[in-house]
Amino acid sequence: MYNMYCVGWTNKTTEEKEASREEYDVHILAKEQCREEKSKDSAKGRKGIIKISSRDGYCFVLNEEQANRGVIEIASCLWKYLNEVLGDDLNLQ
């Protein structure tokens, strides 16, 4: 949704941009804050998934004893998300 909003902004006329400048500035601030928090999580070894349609975030945390953040661990987290969160929305077999 945020990416669509940014593209929408670039397609607006000057007058439309002036009329919605405050809303856009709030959007940009929120986007920057989200990216900052995501960077902090990544630095701590946390990876997450964002469901754009609902803006829900899912984070899978494994300590160093449980995983090396290799492809198998990442795939396991993704599989868990697909099965448990999206479940019936997908036809996984």
Side-chain angles (χ1 to χ4, degrees):
M1 181 171 233
Y2 281 135
N3 287 338
M4 291 175 13
Y5 189 87
C6 290
V7 171
W9 175 261
T10 59
N11 292 332
K12 287 184 178 195
T13 65
T14 302
E15 293 81 20
E16 291 171 326
K17 286 180 181 179
E18 289 174 9
S20 59
R21 171 55 85 178
E22 186 176 331
E23 183 182 353
Y24 179 74
D25 290 343
V26 169
H27 160 74
I28 294 299
L29 179 62
K31 181 171 71 170
E32 290 170 355
Q33 290 171 339
C34 287
R35 287 184 177 169
E36 184 178 323
E37 291 301 319
K38 183 178 175 184
S39 292
K40 288 178 188 177
D41 284 342
S42 289
K44 294 177 183 176
R46 297 183 196 148
K47 302 296 179 196
I49 298 171
I50 304 294
K51 186 175 179 183
I52 299 293
S53 60
S54 65
R55 294 187 181 174
D56 291 332
Y58 302 88
C59 186
F60 300 92
V61 180
L62 304 170
N63 69 32
E64 292 175 0
E65 295 174 0
Q66 293 172 314
N68 294 319
R69 289 184 289 171
V71 70
I72 292 172
E73 290 83 1
I74 294 169
S76 295
C77 291
L78 183 57
W79 184 254
K80 182 177 177 84
Y81 168 79
L82 292 172
N83 278 302
E84 293 183 8
V85 177
L86 299 182
D88 295 334
D89 293 340
L90 298 174
N91 184 12
L92 298 175
Q93 294 181 3

